[in-house]
């Protein structure tokens, strides 16, 4: 399912026009991205959490050049589904 599919489904079930739904979905994604960029987690009860995970610094190897690289520590976004969400999928 794509973002367009989600927008069409929400517009169809709620009766709200697609441009309004698109605006709300885009703003939701913007708020989530900005919150994660500032290190704040986003918790949606019954759905899941968008969290920031920290990856430690590590050493990698470039086999073709026979050299080592140091990959610095960095943050990555992650999603952790709520237990009720996982239970609904298991059914």
């Amino acid at each position: 399912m794509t973002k367009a599919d989600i927008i069409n489904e929400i517009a169809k079930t709620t009766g709200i026009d697609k441009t309004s739904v698109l605006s709300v979905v885009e703003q939701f994604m913007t708020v989530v991205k900005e919150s994660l960029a500032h290190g704040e987690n986003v918790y949606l009860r019954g759905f899941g959490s968008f969290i920031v995970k920290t990856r430690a610094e590590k050493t990698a190897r470039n086999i073709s050049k026979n050299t080592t690289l140091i990959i610095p520590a960095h943050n990555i976004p992650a999603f952790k589904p709520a237990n009720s969400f996982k239970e609904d999928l298991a059914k």
Side-chain angles (χ1 to χ4, degrees), residues 24-80:
V24 170
V25 170
E26 290 286 342
Q27 189 59 33
F28 171 77
M29 292 189 308
T30 300
V31 169
V32 170
K33 285 187 228 176
E34 288 175 357
S35 295
L36 293 176
H38 291 100
E40 301 172 21
N41 296 333
V42 178
Y43 303 102
L44 301 173
R45 189 173 302 270
F47 185 72
S49 303
F50 294 94
I51 58 175
V52 177
K53 287 187 174 183
T54 302
R55 297 280 187 214
E57 182 180 278
K58 65 180 180 179
T59 304
R61 293 199 26 86
N62 184 342
I63 298 171
S64 63
K65 294 182 180 178
N66 198 23
T67 58
T68 59
L69 304 167
I70 295 179
I71 300 172
H74 58 282
N75 295 330
I76 60 166
F79 176 74
K80 183 179 177 188

